[in-house]
Amino acid sequence: MGLTWKLALRNILRNKRRTTLTLLLISMTLAILIFTDGYMRAMSDVMVRSATRLYPGDGQIHHVDYLAERDGEKVISDVDGHLQRLQSTEQIASYSPRAMDFAMVSSSANNLAVQLVGIDPQLEAGVSKLESSLVQGEYLSSQGRSQQIMIGRPLAELLEVDLGDRLVVSVNNYEIDSVDQRLFRVSGIFQLNSKFYDEALIFVPLASAQEMMGIGSNVHEIAFNFVDESLSSDESLALWSELSGPQTIAEGWTTLMPDLATMIGLMDYSMLIVATILFVVAILGVINAMFMSIYERTYEFGVVLAIGTRRSSLFVLIMAEGLMLALISLVLGSILGAIAVEITGAVGIDYGNMDISGVALAEVLRPEITIGQFTELPFSVFVMTMVASLYPALHAARIVPAQALHKSL
Amino acid sequence: MKPVIETRELCRFYGAGDTLVKALDDVNIRIDPGEFTAIVGPSGSGKSTLLQQIGGLDIPNHGKVLLKDKPISEMSGKELSDFRRDHIGFIFQAYNLIPVLSAAENCEYIMLLQGIPAAERRERVLSMLAQVGLEGREDRLPGQLSGGQQQRVAVARAMVSQPDIILADEPTANLDSQTGMELLDMMHDLNRNEGMTFVFSTHDPKIMERASRLIYVEDGKVIREETRNG
Ligand SMILES: Nc1ncnc2c1ncn2[C@@H]1O[C@H](COP(=O)(O)OP(=O)(O)O)[C@@H](O)[C@H]1O
Ligand SMILES: [Mg+2]
């Protein structure tokens, strides 16, 4: 009805300061939600990317029983078939086969337990940051047999070796079922800025590793990256089973790195907590402001009820006032939120390689705009405002005219 | 002649025990069509309570109120609210008007609730505002009108919905005596010319003199009734 809208609009314009503050409260709530959402998304994307693209890859293929005990005998035997499938899948950007097992590395100073990884240097460069993390010497140059070995800087310090120094690597050979030992020379030193990788991984050409392990041309792992990294967290993708063979299974980081998945889940949870706190504060603020406006008008409501206004109409009027506040705030809040996300997105938030629970944030955070920020979030703020209006509206509708008129005179 | 309003053994108590206030105590009055009646009594005597009862704003503890033989004190909720809209006009001491609506819009308000078509609303409002001497001030907000003018708009608003009776609770109490007299004279004119039944309360002797009938209340009881000529 036209009268209700006219009254509602003029009523909210009556106390401009209170209305402005209420509008600010609601629109800031929305703007903060939008920004927090954009920020959290960027944060989790960077965290995931920092973790997966450092070394593990978006996804990995293993023998179905390999990961349970990292048993070196559980190999991927049809390597070519798997690589061909990866090659012909459009969504896959890169892949790298790896032969790996527990090993001992010895220098003249020290013996240490590590993981020996045999890689195809070129393919590996497409999946992990190994090549770009080189700090000394050269990246592995061939995948055939050679004496080249790359180790992390902390490991080099523990072993007290430098470029060109000798290292002896011992690993189990499954063919002859005894230990195979070989001599390597440190050809490159890398620093992935992850304590675990830098101290525990040593890289040699794929063929050297395969020969030492006695696994022919088989490998233990094929790591791969998607073109669109966001696919990697989608466990329902048909691709996972398409890439798997009869004896192998392809899995994404959400299964391979459950700790990271938990942490990302925790971030969603923090978003929920932030939202809840904001909502409680905003609801109380809106209720308070609307109650003040109703208390001031108690006598007026007594009069309009006396002259024949139905209680339901009064209820509808207050809800209409809430609705107008909500609608104006949604527009305002969406604009403010979009501006905040756009600006920080353009400038970027730099944490300078800060470490969050072992994952170094390797990139500048750029908060992202999504459709949900301008549909779901405004909708929930709208619902919140209407819920907050409910109580004052019910209160107004319950005013007893005889009392309202008596008290105020 | 059928009375417009009749009360029977009307009682309204507030509080309980030691603090019990008998705001109305066995009140039996009758208002006939065309009356211009004053309810007179000191402050706290029960005038407002009586007007609220006969206007269906409140429910009695005992007794009943009949409007044209209908027991309004037995209605409830929406029924009563619609009944007030269609049959009773109210004027209070002050702040009668919705501050965000113009004089004309305030007058239109009840007719809007009644669902009267726009053209008729407009016509009734303009002619009534002219009758109460507010021609040319139709679009002013209440805040842009003097106290006397606001009360005139309140009278006009009560008149346009064409109720059976207009109840005015100390309509002149917030006005200076000159303006108060003018308002009352205007109400009296409407009573004589349009035949509208008015019941108003006052404790001002000068205002009482204008009434054609006086009902004296004290401590919630009617102590005397008086009819005058002229
Ligand atoms: N809503 C109410 N609650 C409690 N007491 C009331 C209420 N309305 C009136 N009273 C009491 O009833 C008595 C009559 O009040 P009222 O009808 O307002 O008198 P008047 O209008 O003649 O000044 C007073 O004692 C007043 O305090
Ligand atoms: Mg009174």
Side-chain angles (χ1 to χ4, degrees), chain A residues 26-154:
Chain A
I26 307 172
S27 47
M28 286 308 285
T29 304
L30 177 57
I32 293 172
L33 282 177
I34 290 175
F35 175 75
T36 311
D37 183 79
Y39 173 81
M40 293 287 208
R41 265 167 213 282
M43 174 79 109
S44 59
D45 282 0
V46 168
M47 276 172 70
V48 170
R49 239 187 345 251
S50 300
T52 58
R53 298 278 165 109
L54 185 63
Y55 175 68
D58 293 345
Q60 296 174 347
I61 302 170
H62 301 104
H63 184 282
V64 280
D65 294 329
Y66 175 76
L67 283 179
E69 289 176 20
R70 297 200 173 259
D71 176 352
E73 274 185 303
K74 308 289 187 201
V75 292
I76 303 171
S77 42
D78 178 20
V79 177
D80 286 344
H82 282 87
L83 296 189
Q84 261 158 34
R85 271 203 294 279
L86 286 161
Q87 176 78 54
S88 60
T89 306
E90 257 176 54
Q91 294 102 308
I92 301 298
S94 56
Y95 50 84
S96 172
R98 297 165 178 166
M100 52 209 223
D101 207 353
F102 299 109
M104 281 296 284
V105 61
S106 316
S107 66
S108 51
N110 221 335
N111 297 316
L112 289 168
V114 292
Q115 185 163 44
L116 171 68
V117 187
I119 53 168
D120 175 323
Q122 238 169 330
L123 290 178
E124 182 64 32
V127 171
S128 72
K129 294 254 180 328
L130 190 62
E131 184 178 22
S132 57
S133 69
L134 192 81
V135 288
Q136 249 183 303
E138 282 164 19
Y139 185 57
L140 299 183
S141 56
S142 89
Q143 58 160 310
R145 281 191 54 190
S146 86
Q147 284 197 314
Q148 292 179 327
I149 187 166
M150 276 181 83
I151 62 173
R153 170 170 277 166

Side-chain angles (χ1 to χ4, degrees), chain A residues 30-42 271 330 333-335 337-338 341-342 367-381:
Chain A
L30 177 57
I32 293 172
L33 282 177
I34 290 175
F35 175 75
T36 311
D37 183 79
Y39 173 81
M40 293 287 208
R41 265 167 213 282
M271 174 75 190
L330 291 198
S334 298
I335 295 173
V341 173
E342 281 294 346
E368 302 156 38
I369 296 243
T370 65
I371 292 180
Q373 289 160 358
F374 302 93
T375 53
E376 285 159 39
L377 293 180
F379 179 75
S380 56
V381 170

Side-chain angles (χ1 to χ4, degrees), chain A residues 143-275:
Chain A
Q143 58 160 310
R145 281 191 54 190
S146 86
Q147 284 197 314
Q148 292 179 327
I149 187 166
M150 276 181 83
I151 62 173
R153 170 170 277 166
L155 187 66
E157 281 161 13
L158 289 170
L159 293 168
E160 296 174 23
V161 293
D162 271 321
L163 278 182
D165 287 353
R166 283 192 241 180
L167 286 177
V168 175
V169 176
S170 324
V171 70
N172 191 56
N173 184 310
Y174 294 95
E175 207 174 25
I176 57 170
D177 201 16
S178 78
V179 172
D180 190 318
Q181 276 194 338
R182 263 181 219 195
L183 181 75
F184 291 90
R185 282 183 188 275
V186 179
S187 58
I189 293 179
F190 64 86
Q191 190 157 13
L192 284 165
N193 286 321
S194 154
K195 192 169 150 61
F196 174 75
Y197 297 141
D198 289 343
E199 282 183 8
L201 297 185
I202 59 175
F203 294 92
V204 300
L206 184 57
S208 306
Q210 284 168 331
E211 211 177 280
M212 284 178 77
M213 294 170 190
I215 54 171
S217 61
N218 298 340
V219 297
H220 295 101
E221 174 174 293
I222 304 172
F224 58 88
N225 286 343
F226 286 92
V227 177
D228 173 6
E229 73 199 38
S230 65
L231 290 182
S232 60
S233 53
D234 185 357
E235 288 177 20
S236 66
L237 227 55
L239 205 82
W240 300 117
S241 56
E242 286 164 21
L243 292 176
S244 305
Q247 284 290 303
T248 59
I249 180 167
E251 294 164 301
W253 65 268
T254 49
T255 349
L256 297 168
M257 293 187 270
D259 290 355
L260 183 62
T262 307
M263 203 149 68
I264 299 299
L266 275 177
M267 286 178 61
D268 287 346
Y269 191 64
S270 347
M271 174 75 190
L272 200 68
I273 291 173
V274 170

